[in-house]
């Protein structure tokens, strides 16, 4: 019975991490617009691409069954990219899509 409980906990934890990774993937695809914007500094764009390379590389700080380090690196890079875009005035996600 005890091993069944640990198995259920492991599966639930894996599903939570996979769901969070899916949300993060959507945020990465939305960040494409910021990567093309000329107002965002090159340093922030390079940090983002370095995080993507780290995520897909086989070298990790924590072994690969646990993707917490990959998720953390991508979150930091996305936050830096959005902060740089907000400073440059390029982050317009709050504006309505229709004409003014």
């Amino acid at each position: 019975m005890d091993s069944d409980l640990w198995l259920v906990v492991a599966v639930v934890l894996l599903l939570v991490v996979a769901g969070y990774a899916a949300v993060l993937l959507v945020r990465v695809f939305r960040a494409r617009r910021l990567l093309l914007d000329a107002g965002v500094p090159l340093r922030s764009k390079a940090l983002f691409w370095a995080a993507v390379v780290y995520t897909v590389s086989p070298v990790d700080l924590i072994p690969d069954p646990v993707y917490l380090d990959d998720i953390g690196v991508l979150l930091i890079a996305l936050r830096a990219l959005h902060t740089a875009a907000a400073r440059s005035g390029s982050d317009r996600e709050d504006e309505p899509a229709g004409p003014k």
Side-chain angles (χ1 to χ4, degrees):
M1 182 72 168
D2 192 34
S3 63
D4 291 339
L5 178 65
W6 282 111
L7 182 63
V8 169
V9 168
V11 168
V12 168
L13 184 61
L14 182 65
L15 289 175
V16 167
V17 170
Y20 196 69
V23 169
L24 187 58
L25 183 64
V26 169
R27 289 185 63 193
V28 166
F29 280 117
R30 286 184 181 168
R32 288 182 304 170
R33 179 183 54 84
L34 297 177
L35 294 172
L36 297 174
D37 194 342
V40 177
L42 182 61
R43 178 175 168 250
S44 297
K45 294 176 185 180
L47 176 66
F48 174 78
W49 285 115
V52 169
V53 168
Y54 175 79
T55 300
V56 297
S57 74
V59 179
D60 282 338
L61 295 175
I62 301 174
D64 253 358
V66 180
Y67 293 109
L68 295 179
D69 61 330
D70 299 322
I71 291 172
V73 168
L74 271 177
L75 280 174
I76 291 169
L78 280 171
R79 180 168 295 224
L81 185 64
H82 282 285
T83 301
R87 285 186 187 148
S88 70
S90 301
D91 198 8
R92 293 182 286 272
E93 290 183 12
D94 296 333
E95 291 183 10
K100 293 183 178 184

